[in-house]
Amino acid sequence: MINKIIENVEKVIVGKREAITLVLTSLISGGHILIEDVPGVGKTRLIAAIAKSIDCSFKRIQFTADVLPSDVTGFSVYNQKTGDFDFKPGAIMSQLVLADEINRTSPKTQASLLEVMEEGHVTVDGVTYEMEQPFMVLATQNPVEFLGTFPLPEAQLDRFFMKISIGYPDRDDESAVLNMHQLRDPFLDLEPVATAEDIIKIQGEVKKVFVHDTLNDYIVSLVSATRDNPNIMLGASPRASICLYRAAQATAYIAGRDYVVPDDIQRMAVPVIAHRIVLGQEMKFNNTTAEDIVADIIKTVPVPTGK
């Protein structure tokens, strides 16, 4: 089923199977994803294509400095006819939500996403509204522009299951994109190949994928290594261990296995852990990235042999 969705999305997004797979990995793990990339590489199109492929509702929030928390969560309006307050749903009330340029809005508005990302519901005027499942927030930010932006705090970053980038297409893929758009936008002809119920079922199946105790220890060792590394000022939280565990299960599931192997954990370690750590100043001056550090940790932590 997942491969069928990937192939469907590839009718619109060319040459980016890895990015598509990672977004779907996060979706079937019940997590949210942060996409950090330059404008115009297909972030919005990717997310919209996935929503259309699984027949789920989709909304886009364009974050700017004047967007208010109530614009996101919703608000209550007094109804003179009934004498009651009517709830007006915010933009977050959808199954897949694109939080576009999330770092362009104020910290207060960014924080309005914390409850819904963690708990799957929003509370307005003391009333709780559950989100329709499956639910996923996909946020984007531009890594180049810093003027007028509000960097996401560590607590907010930790809520994202993983962080990825799409990157520029290669020459052949970009040429293929031009040919695809010659007469008609291929997105307009995209049809669903799965349903929300299918995704919910898969999310349950992912949780049943077997993880051996030695691999549990391996996950903990990888995450713990970020807390003892002299190049890291703030290591990954226990939430990182949980997310890496679930991401490994999802990766095994997509590969057609009902058990996790070390390669599943290693493949997911960078996108799951890197955005959760804070490097020391010296590393920043050396142009060393969090992804580089996590990749080094993967090489140094012993891999279970299964004996």
Side-chain angles (χ1 to χ4, degrees), residues 127-296:
V127 180
T128 299
Y129 302 90
E130 296 291 334
M131 308 305 296
E132 186 179 359
Q133 297 298 318
F135 172 70
M136 184 182 190
V137 173
L138 306 101
T140 72
Q141 62 180 10
N142 186 336
V144 179
E145 295 182 354
F146 300 103
L147 186 63
T149 63
F150 303 87
L152 293 175
E154 280 69 37
Q156 183 96 40
L157 286 170
D158 203 31
R159 275 3 185 246
F160 287 102
F161 189 80
M162 66 173 71
K163 186 182 83 168
I164 68 169
S165 63
I166 297 175
Y168 291 115
D170 62 31
R171 293 180 63 88
D172 291 340
D173 290 335
E174 191 161 2
S175 179
V177 170
L178 297 181
N179 291 330
M180 287 169 55
H181 285 78
Q182 180 179 1
L183 300 176
R184 179 178 170 86
D185 186 348
F187 180 79
L188 299 175
D189 299 321
L190 202 63
E191 296 290 337
V193 294
T195 64
E197 289 73 24
D198 291 330
I199 300 301
I200 293 171
K201 180 182 177 183
I202 291 172
Q203 288 176 338
E205 292 172 347
V206 165
K207 295 177 181 178
K208 298 176 183 178
V209 173
F210 177 71
V211 186
H212 195 275
D213 287 344
T214 58
L215 295 182
N216 281 350
D217 293 339
Y218 183 48
I219 290 171
V220 173
S221 296
L222 285 170
V223 175
S224 296
T226 68
R227 303 166 193 162
D228 302 327
N229 193 301
N231 298 319
I232 299 176
M233 187 167 60
L234 178 66
S237 69
R239 185 185 280 118
S241 299
I242 297 171
C243 291
L244 184 53
Y245 180 94
R246 189 72 73 213
Q249 288 180 303
T251 301
Y253 181 89
I254 293 173
R257 285 182 275 105
D258 60 358
Y259 59 91
V260 169
V261 298
D263 283 349
D264 299 327
I265 298 170
Q266 293 174 344
R267 182 181 175 189
M268 290 293 104
V270 171
V272 169
I273 297 175
H275 67 287
R276 303 173 189 272
I277 65 177
V278 178
L279 300 184
Q281 290 297 325
E282 185 178 345
M283 291 298 100
K284 296 178 182 179
F285 292 144
N286 292 338
N287 292 323
T288 301
T289 66
E291 289 78 8
D292 295 333
I293 297 296
V294 175
D296 288 340

Side-chain angles (χ1 to χ4, degrees), residues 51 56-60 72 89-98 116 130-137:
C56 285
S57 57
F58 168 69
K59 286 184 180 178
R60 175 177 176 269
V72 177
I92 199 67
M93 293 296 182
S94 186
Q95 289 170 299
L96 269 68
V97 179
L98 171 60
V116 68
E130 296 291 334
M131 308 305 296
E132 186 179 359
Q133 297 298 318
F135 172 70
M136 184 182 190
V137 173

Side-chain angles (χ1 to χ4, degrees), residues 111-133:
S112 68
L113 289 168
L114 289 175
E115 178 189 5
V116 68
M117 290 175 66
E118 185 69 19
E119 308 294 339
H121 56 67
V122 296
T123 302
V124 179
D125 296 332
V127 180
T128 299
Y129 302 90
E130 296 291 334
M131 308 305 296
E132 186 179 359
Q133 297 298 318

